[in-house]
Amino acid sequence: MATKNKLPLYVSPAGTAVYPWLNKPDFKFNSDGVYSVKMVFSKDKAKKLNDIIKPLMNGGKNNPLKPEKDDQGEPTGNYVASFSMYAHVKTKGGDEWDQKPALVDTVGNRVESLIGGGSKLQV
């Protein structure tokens, strides 16, 4: 019997949600649906997140963590990262399945309420 390798679990520091699509998928630009959230992190929290991201990039230069800019294009001192996952997955081998993010509170209880912009989250 073949054993599956378990992927490591990473959890981001707490950040502020911007335009979250976590309770239901967004189908506007993708017929398979996409769950997503843009997160804003303070400089110190961004460093902790970057310490997780950088080793996973295998030397890549396209770090998904970017400086946040205000309406005039000036840096705010915060950083932004986007997280997403497809609601419906189709593999080249023909397998298909549906998935959704597990929304839980700080003690692990399922959250059914709407997650809105400004919510404090960890991904």
Side-chain angles (χ1 to χ4, degrees):
M1 178 179 216
T3 60
K4 280 190 167 184
N5 291 336
K6 288 193 173 188
L7 297 174
L9 176 65
Y10 298 101
V11 179
S12 77
T16 304
V18 179
Y19 304 118
W21 280 88
L22 298 172
N23 295 92
K24 62 180 184 173
D26 180 6
F27 291 96
K28 186 171 184 179
F29 299 108
N30 188 309
S31 61
D32 288 326
V34 177
Y35 292 99
S36 64
V37 62
K38 185 185 292 187
M39 298 282 293
V40 176
F41 298 97
S42 64
K43 187 175 183 176
D44 62 320
K45 302 275 174 119
K47 182 184 178 335
K48 291 177 184 176
L49 183 59
N50 195 50
D51 290 344
I52 295 169
I53 294 170
K54 198 166 185 176
L56 300 173
M57 292 175 44
N58 294 329
K61 296 177 184 171
N62 295 325
N63 191 326
L65 192 59
K66 308 283 185 207
E68 180 186 46
K69 301 201 177 186
D70 64 17
D71 294 339
Q72 287 73 41
E74 297 296 320
T76 65
N78 293 324
Y79 289 80
V80 179
S82 295
F83 300 89
S84 64
M85 66 188 286
Y86 291 109
H88 185 76
V89 178
K90 300 176 202 170
T91 68
K92 290 181 182 178
D95 294 330
E96 295 186 37
W97 67 88
D98 290 329
Q99 62 183 359
K100 63 182 183 177
L103 305 176
V104 295
D105 63 16
T106 57
V107 293
N109 297 319
R110 291 268 180 195
V111 173
E112 300 296 329
S113 58
L114 182 64
I115 307 294
S119 296
K120 301 292 182 199
L121 307 174
Q122 288 181 279
V123 178

PDB file of all heavy atoms in Angstrom, residues 40-47 66-70 74-80:
ATOM      1  N   VAL A  40      -3.939  42.315   4.640  1.00  0.00           N
ATOM      2  CA  VAL A  40      -3.003  43.402   4.935  1.00  0.00           C
ATOM      3  C   VAL A  40      -2.319  43.072   6.261  1.00  0.00           C
ATOM      4  O   VAL A  40      -2.983  42.752   7.255  1.00  0.00           O
ATOM      5  CB  VAL A  40      -3.726  44.759   5.025  1.00  0.00           C
ATOM      6  CG1 VAL A  40      -2.756  45.864   5.418  1.00  0.00           C
ATOM      7  CG2 VAL A  40      -4.420  45.088   3.706  1.00  0.00           C
ATOM      8  N   PHE A  41      -0.977  43.142   6.246  1.00  0.00           N
ATOM      9  CA  PHE A  41      -0.175  42.823   7.422  1.00  0.00           C
ATOM     10  C   PHE A  41       0.686  44.015   7.813  1.00  0.00           C
ATOM     11  O   PHE A  41       1.194  44.733   6.947  1.00  0.00           O
ATOM     12  CB  PHE A  41       0.763  41.651   7.127  1.00  0.00           C
ATOM     13  CG  PHE A  41       0.057  40.378   6.769  1.00  0.00           C
ATOM     14  CD1 PHE A  41      -0.127  40.025   5.441  1.00  0.00           C
ATOM     15  CD2 PHE A  41      -0.431  39.540   7.754  1.00  0.00           C
ATOM     16  CE1 PHE A  41      -0.779  38.862   5.097  1.00  0.00           C
ATOM     17  CE2 PHE A  41      -1.086  38.367   7.425  1.00  0.00           C
ATOM     18  CZ  PHE A  41      -1.266  38.030   6.084  1.00  0.00           C
ATOM     19  N   SER A  42       0.883  44.208   9.117  1.00  0.00           N
ATOM     20  CA  SER A  42       1.832  45.212   9.590  1.00  0.00           C
ATOM     21  C   SER A  42       3.234  44.756   9.196  1.00  0.00           C
ATOM     22  O   SER A  42       3.447  43.598   8.831  1.00  0.00           O
ATOM     23  CB  SER A  42       1.726  45.372  11.104  1.00  0.00           C
ATOM     24  OG  SER A  42       2.105  44.163  11.743  1.00  0.00           O
ATOM     25  N   LYS A  43       4.190  45.665   9.301  1.00  0.00           N
ATOM     26  CA  LYS A  43       5.564  45.355   8.887  1.00  0.00           C
ATOM     27  C   LYS A  43       6.135  44.165   9.661  1.00  0.00           C
ATOM     28  O   LYS A  43       6.750  43.279   9.072  1.00  0.00           O
ATOM     29  CB  LYS A  43       6.451  46.589   9.060  1.00  0.00           C
ATOM     30  CG  LYS A  43       7.837  46.417   8.516  1.00  0.00           C
ATOM     31  CD  LYS A  43       8.632  47.700   8.605  1.00  0.00           C
ATOM     32  CE  LYS A  43      10.006  47.533   7.979  1.00  0.00           C
ATOM     33  NZ  LYS A  43      10.748  48.789   7.964  1.00  0.00           N
ATOM     34  N   ASP A  44       5.923  44.111  10.979  1.00  0.00           N
ATOM     35  CA  ASP A  44       6.472  43.008  11.771  1.00  0.00           C
ATOM     36  C   ASP A  44       5.796  41.681  11.439  1.00  0.00           C
ATOM     37  O   ASP A  44       6.440  40.644  11.368  1.00  0.00           O
ATOM     38  CB  ASP A  44       6.415  43.309  13.273  1.00  0.00           C
ATOM     39  CG  ASP A  44       5.011  43.501  13.793  1.00  0.00           C
ATOM     40  OD1 ASP A  44       4.193  44.126  13.106  1.00  0.00           O
ATOM     41  OD2 ASP A  44       4.729  43.025  14.917  1.00  0.00           O
ATOM     42  N   LYS A  45       4.486  41.705  11.192  1.00  0.00           N
ATOM     43  CA  LYS A  45       3.770  40.476  10.812  1.00  0.00           C
ATOM     44  C   LYS A  45       4.174  40.047   9.400  1.00  0.00           C
ATOM     45  O   LYS A  45       4.275  38.862   9.103  1.00  0.00           O
ATOM     46  CB  LYS A  45       2.262  40.685  10.868  1.00  0.00           C
ATOM     47  CG  LYS A  45       1.733  41.112  12.219  1.00  0.00           C
ATOM     48  CD  LYS A  45       1.475  39.947  13.108  1.00  0.00           C
ATOM     49  CE  LYS A  45       1.083  40.422  14.484  1.00  0.00           C
ATOM     50  NZ  LYS A  45      -0.207  40.030  14.910  1.00  0.00           N
ATOM     51  N   ALA A  46       4.418  41.017   8.523  1.00  0.00           N
ATOM     52  CA  ALA A  46       4.845  40.708   7.158  1.00  0.00           C
ATOM     53  C   ALA A  46       6.199  40.005   7.167  1.00  0.00           C
ATOM     54  O   ALA A  46       6.438  39.090   6.379  1.00  0.00           O
ATOM     55  CB  ALA A  46       4.903  41.977   6.316  1.00  0.00           C
ATOM     56  N   LYS A  47       7.084  40.404   8.074  1.00  0.00           N
ATOM     57  CA  LYS A  47       8.391  39.742   8.158  1.00  0.00           C
ATOM     58  C   LYS A  47       8.213  38.284   8.555  1.00  0.00           C
ATOM     59  O   LYS A  47       8.861  37.393   7.993  1.00  0.00           O
ATOM     60  CB  LYS A  47       9.305  40.454   9.148  1.00  0.00           C
ATOM     61  CG  LYS A  47      10.677  39.780   9.175  1.00  0.00           C
ATOM     62  CD  LYS A  47      11.618  40.334  10.174  1.00  0.00           C
ATOM     63  CE  LYS A  47      12.950  39.644  10.222  1.00  0.00           C
ATOM     64  NZ  LYS A  47      13.049  38.281   9.793  1.00  0.00           N
ATOM     65  N   LYS A  66       3.631  42.084  -1.045  1.00  0.00           N
ATOM     66  CA  LYS A  66       3.972  43.368  -1.669  1.00  0.00           C
ATOM     67  C   LYS A  66       3.687  44.527  -0.710  1.00  0.00           C
ATOM     68  O   LYS A  66       2.763  44.455   0.099  1.00  0.00           O
ATOM     69  CB  LYS A  66       3.132  43.600  -2.932  1.00  0.00           C
ATOM     70  CG  LYS A  66       3.161  42.470  -3.927  1.00  0.00           C
ATOM     71  CD  LYS A  66       4.422  42.457  -4.701  1.00  0.00           C
ATOM     72  CE  LYS A  66       4.344  41.366  -5.775  1.00  0.00           C
ATOM     73  NZ  LYS A  66       5.581  40.846  -6.160  1.00  0.00           N
ATOM     74  N   PRO A  67       4.434  45.627  -0.818  1.00  0.00           N
ATOM     75  CA  PRO A  67       4.129  46.803   0.000  1.00  0.00           C
ATOM     76  C   PRO A  67       2.750  47.366  -0.376  1.00  0.00           C
ATOM     77  O   PRO A  67       2.399  47.442  -1.550  1.00  0.00           O
ATOM     78  CB  PRO A  67       5.223  47.804  -0.365  1.00  0.00           C
ATOM     79  CG  PRO A  67       6.313  46.994  -0.981  1.00  0.00           C
ATOM     80  CD  PRO A  67       5.656  45.814  -1.610  1.00  0.00           C
ATOM     81  N   GLU A  68       1.977  47.733   0.639  1.00  0.00           N
ATOM     82  CA  GLU A  68       0.666  48.352   0.404  1.00  0.00           C
ATOM     83  C   GLU A  68       0.876  49.814   0.039  1.00  0.00           C
ATOM     84  O   GLU A  68       1.734  50.482   0.607  1.00  0.00           O
ATOM     85  CB  GLU A  68      -0.198  48.249   1.663  1.00  0.00           C
ATOM     86  CG  GLU A  68      -1.575  48.873   1.491  1.00  0.00           C
ATOM     87  CD  GLU A  68      -2.370  48.904   2.775  1.00  0.00           C
ATOM     88  OE1 GLU A  68      -1.805  49.291   3.828  1.00  0.00           O
ATOM     89  OE2 GLU A  68      -3.549  48.552   2.732  1.00  0.00           O
ATOM     90  N   LYS A  69       0.078  50.301  -0.897  1.00  0.00           N
ATOM     91  CA  LYS A  69       0.147  51.720  -1.298  1.00  0.00           C
ATOM     92  C   LYS A  69      -1.205  52.372  -1.084  1.00  0.00           C
ATOM     93  O   LYS A  69      -2.242  51.744  -1.243  1.00  0.00           O
ATOM     94  CB  LYS A  69       0.568  51.821  -2.757  1.00  0.00           C
ATOM     95  CG  LYS A  69       1.927  51.175  -2.963  1.00  0.00           C
ATOM     96  CD  LYS A  69       2.618  51.642  -4.169  1.00  0.00           C
ATOM     97  CE  LYS A  69       3.970  50.953  -4.178  1.00  0.00           C
ATOM     98  NZ  LYS A  69       4.846  51.318  -5.148  1.00  0.00           N
ATOM     99  N   ASP A  70      -1.173  53.650  -0.717  1.00  0.00           N
ATOM    100  CA  ASP A  70      -2.415  54.394  -0.516  1.00  0.00           C
ATOM    101  C   ASP A  70      -2.960  54.877  -1.864  1.00  0.00           C
ATOM    102  O   ASP A  70      -2.419  54.543  -2.923  1.00  0.00           O
ATOM    103  CB  ASP A  70      -2.212  55.550   0.470  1.00  0.00           C
ATOM    104  CG  ASP A  70      -1.236  56.613  -0.021  1.00  0.00           C
ATOM    105  OD1 ASP A  70      -0.940  56.674  -1.232  1.00  0.00           O
ATOM    106  OD2 ASP A  70      -0.768  57.401   0.820  1.00  0.00           O
ATOM    107  N   GLU A  74       1.530  56.083  -2.529  1.00  0.00           N
ATOM    108  CA  GLU A  74       2.594  56.152  -1.522  1.00  0.00           C
ATOM    109  C   GLU A  74       2.529  54.923  -0.601  1.00  0.00           C
ATOM    110  O   GLU A  74       1.451  54.471  -0.230  1.00  0.00           O
ATOM    111  CB  GLU A  74       2.457  57.425  -0.682  1.00  0.00           C
ATOM    112  CG  GLU A  74       2.601  58.703  -1.480  1.00  0.00           C
ATOM    113  CD  GLU A  74       3.982  58.859  -2.089  1.00  0.00           C
ATOM    114  OE1 GLU A  74       4.982  58.524  -1.407  1.00  0.00           O
ATOM    115  OE2 GLU A  74       4.063  59.292  -3.251  1.00  0.00           O
ATOM    116  N   PRO A  75       3.681  54.390  -0.188  1.00  0.00           N
ATOM    117  CA  PRO A  75       3.687  53.242   0.731  1.00  0.00           C
ATOM    118  C   PRO A  75       3.049  53.602   2.072  1.00  0.00           C
ATOM    119  O   PRO A  75       3.271  54.691   2.595  1.00  0.00           O
ATOM    120  CB  PRO A  75       5.171  52.926   0.913  1.00  0.00           C
ATOM    121  CG  PRO A  75       5.896  53.674  -0.147  1.00  0.00           C
ATOM    122  CD  PRO A  75       5.015  54.800  -0.580  1.00  0.00           C
ATOM    123  N   THR A  76       2.261  52.662   2.612  1.00  0.00           N
ATOM    124  CA  THR A  76       1.602  52.892   3.901  1.00  0.00           C
ATOM    125  C   THR A  76       2.419  52.343   5.071  1.00  0.00           C
ATOM    126  O   THR A  76       2.109  52.646   6.216  1.00  0.00           O
ATOM    127  CB  THR A  76       0.225  52.198   3.936  1.00  0.00           C
ATOM    128  OG1 THR A  76       0.424  50.784   3.868  1.00  0.00           O
ATOM    129  CG2 THR A  76      -0.674  52.674   2.803  1.00  0.00           C
ATOM    130  N   GLY A  77       3.414  51.508   4.771  1.00  0.00           N
ATOM    131  CA  GLY A  77       4.174  50.843   5.827  1.00  0.00           C
ATOM    132  C   GLY A  77       3.657  49.436   6.092  1.00  0.00           C
ATOM    133  O   GLY A  77       4.278  48.666   6.812  1.00  0.00           O
ATOM    134  N   ASN A  78       2.493  49.100   5.522  1.00  0.00           N
ATOM    135  CA  ASN A  78       1.932  47.758   5.643  1.00  0.00           C
ATOM    136  C   ASN A  78       2.268  46.955   4.390  1.00  0.00           C
ATOM    137  O   ASN A  78       2.753  47.508   3.398  1.00  0.00           O
ATOM    138  CB  ASN A  78       0.414  47.820   5.812  1.00  0.00           C
ATOM    139  CG  ASN A  78       0.010  48.441   7.120  1.00  0.00           C
ATOM    140  OD1 ASN A  78       0.657  48.250   8.140  1.00  0.00           O
ATOM    141  ND2 ASN A  78      -1.067  49.206   7.107  1.00  0.00           N
ATOM    142  N   TYR A  79       1.953  45.661   4.439  1.00  0.00           N
ATOM    143  CA  TYR A  79       2.197  44.770   3.304  1.00  0.00           C
ATOM    144  C   TYR A  79       0.926  43.999   2.981  1.00  0.00           C
ATOM    145  O   TYR A  79       0.097  43.775   3.851  1.00  0.00           O
ATOM    146  CB  TYR A  79       3.345  43.811   3.619  1.00  0.00           C
ATOM    147  CG  TYR A  79       4.672  44.514   3.638  1.00  0.00           C
ATOM    148  CD1 TYR A  79       5.071  45.251   4.753  1.00  0.00           C
ATOM    149  CD2 TYR A  79       5.504  44.499   2.535  1.00  0.00           C
ATOM    150  CE1 TYR A  79       6.277  45.928   4.765  1.00  0.00           C
ATOM    151  CE2 TYR A  79       6.714  45.171   2.534  1.00  0.00           C
ATOM    152  CZ  TYR A  79       7.091  45.885   3.652  1.00  0.00           C
ATOM    153  OH  TYR A  79       8.273  46.564   3.647  1.00  0.00           O
ATOM    154  N   VAL A  80       0.782  43.591   1.709  1.00  0.00           N
ATOM    155  CA  VAL A  80      -0.415  42.910   1.222  1.00  0.00           C
ATOM    156  C   VAL A  80      -0.024  41.583   0.577  1.00  0.00           C
ATOM    157  O   VAL A  80       0.970  41.498  -0.144  1.00  0.00           O
ATOM    158  CB  VAL A  80      -1.147  43.780   0.174  1.00  0.00           C
ATOM    159  CG1 VAL A  80      -2.377  43.079  -0.355  1.00  0.00           C
ATOM    160  CG2 VAL A  80      -1.521  45.131   0.754  1.00  0.00           C
TER     161      VAL A  80
END
